């Protein structure tokens, strides 16, 4: 009698635990399916609002949606959240996506001969490529695109005069910020 009651209690406890696990897995499946649907909708070109509590994959999908439409100011907070997050792979992809978007906008400025707005965009793109390479030093695409950006706007050393003032006629820019569009191999 006592073993039967113990077996019945153990069976009931196992049934309750199995039911709780099934409910939890069902809820997780529902959330994952919802997130995948939202990601697919963003990939299809539908603009959807997301919250800060959404998973990183959904944040990245929204960032990608915004960067492909040159809405970089809206994408920057998402980039900051992803870059500070736990998932290094998504952080690298987000930094790379944003850098590519900035470089793409800079190229469109350069094609219409607007050099001044292009220079800060190229510098920001270089910073994003560098941050991505810090997280993943073997990221070849990031290295390649950083090289393109480095050729576009060079990083020359700044002259430090330590408080000395130059007369206005002596102030010259030693190098141009934008040497030109890279054309093929060096």
């Amino acid at each position: 009698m006592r073993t039967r009651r113990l077996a019945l209690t153990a069976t009931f406890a196992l049934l309750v635990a199995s039911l709780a696990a099934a409910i939890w897995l069902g809820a997780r499946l529902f959330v994952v399916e919802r997130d995948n649907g939202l990601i697919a909708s963003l990939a299809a070109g539908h603009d959807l609002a997301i919250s800060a509590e959404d998973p990183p994959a959904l944040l990245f999908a929204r960032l990608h949606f915004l960067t492909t439409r040159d809405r970089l100011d809206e994408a920057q907070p998402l980039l900051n959240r992803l870059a500070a997050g736990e998932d290094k792979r998504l952080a690298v992809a987000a930094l790379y996506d944003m850098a590519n978007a900035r470089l793409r906008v800079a190229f469109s400025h350069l094609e219409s001969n607007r050099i001044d707005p292009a220079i800060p965009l190229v510098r920001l793109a270089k910073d994003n490529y560098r941050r991505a390479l810090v997280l993943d030093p073997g990221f070849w695409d990031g290295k390649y695109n950083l090289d393109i950006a480095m050729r576009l706007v060079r990083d020359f050393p700044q002259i430090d005069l330590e408080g000395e003032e130059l007369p206005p006629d002596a102030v010259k820019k030693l190098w141009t910020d934008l040497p030109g569009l890279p054309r093929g191999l060096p």
Side-chain angles (χ1 to χ4, degrees), residues 142-178:
K143 289 179 185 181
Y144 182 82
N145 287 2
L146 176 62
D147 183 57
I148 298 275
M150 294 289 287
R151 291 175 191 221
L152 201 59
V153 175
R154 305 219 189 266
D155 290 332
F156 292 111
Q158 299 296 320
I159 299 172
D160 188 19
L161 300 174
E162 296 180 16
E164 296 178 22
E165 272 192 49
L166 291 177
D169 57 320
V171 176
K172 267 186 172 177
K173 209 169 189 182
L174 297 178
W175 296 286
T176 61
D177 282 337
L178 191 68

Side-chain angles (χ1 to χ4, degrees), residues 95-114:
L95 288 163
Y96 181 71
D97 245 15
M98 182 64 100
N100 284 344
R102 286 184 169 138
L103 208 55
R104 189 173 45 249
V105 172
F107 276 130
S108 70
H109 284 305
L110 293 174
E111 287 171 353
S112 59
N113 206 20
R114 292 178 294 170

